[in-house]
Amino acid sequence: MYLSAGNGDINTIIGGIAPDWGPFGSLGQEARTMVQVVMAIAILLCLAIAIWGAAKQRIGATALRDTFSAEQGKGLIIAGLTGVFIIGSLGTLFTIIYGMAI
C-alpha cells in the first residue's frame, strides 16, 4: 500500500483542470493559465448551482411544503454535479479525442 502511494502527487488529482495535455500542450504558459482559470471558475459556478439546488430542495421540502421547489432543487443538484464531473473529466476526453486524431 505504501509503495503505490509513494509515486502519486497532487497533479494526478487536479490534472483535469490543469491543461498541459493534448492540444493544450503546445499553448504558451499564459494561455494555459487562462484555460485553467476559466475551468476553475466553471467548476465553482457548477458547485454553486448544486448548493443552491440543495438549499432550494431543503427549504421547499420542509419549510414551505412546496413540492415544485423541491423538484427544481433536485434538478439543480443534478445539473451542478454533472457539470463538475464533465469539466473535471475534460482532460481525459481531450486526451482521448486528440490521441485518436493523431
Side-chain angles (χ1 to χ4, degrees):
M1 201 54 122
Y2 176 72
L3 294 176
S4 63
N7 294 333
D9 59 355
I10 192 67
N11 290 327
T12 58
I13 297 172
I14 63 169
I17 61 170
D20 55 354
W21 26 258
F24 297 107
S26 61
L27 291 176
Q29 185 62 34
E30 293 84 11
R32 279 195 298 245
T33 302
M34 288 304 297
V35 171
Q36 289 173 3
V37 168
V38 168
M39 290 175 81
I41 289 172
I43 286 176
L44 290 176
L45 183 66
C46 288
L47 285 175
I49 289 172
I51 291 170
W52 181 36
K56 193 168 191 169
Q57 183 185 19
R58 178 73 176 155
I59 291 171
T62 57
L64 302 176
R65 305 275 188 242
D66 181 14
T67 57
F68 180 71
S69 182
E71 290 299 319
Q72 274 186 327
K74 287 180 188 176
L76 288 172
I77 292 170
I78 292 169
L81 294 179
T82 302
V84 168
F85 174 75
I86 290 172
I87 293 169
S89 63
L90 278 178
T92 306
L93 294 174
F94 276 128
T95 303
I96 291 170
I97 294 169
Y98 184 72
M100 291 173 62
I102 294 179

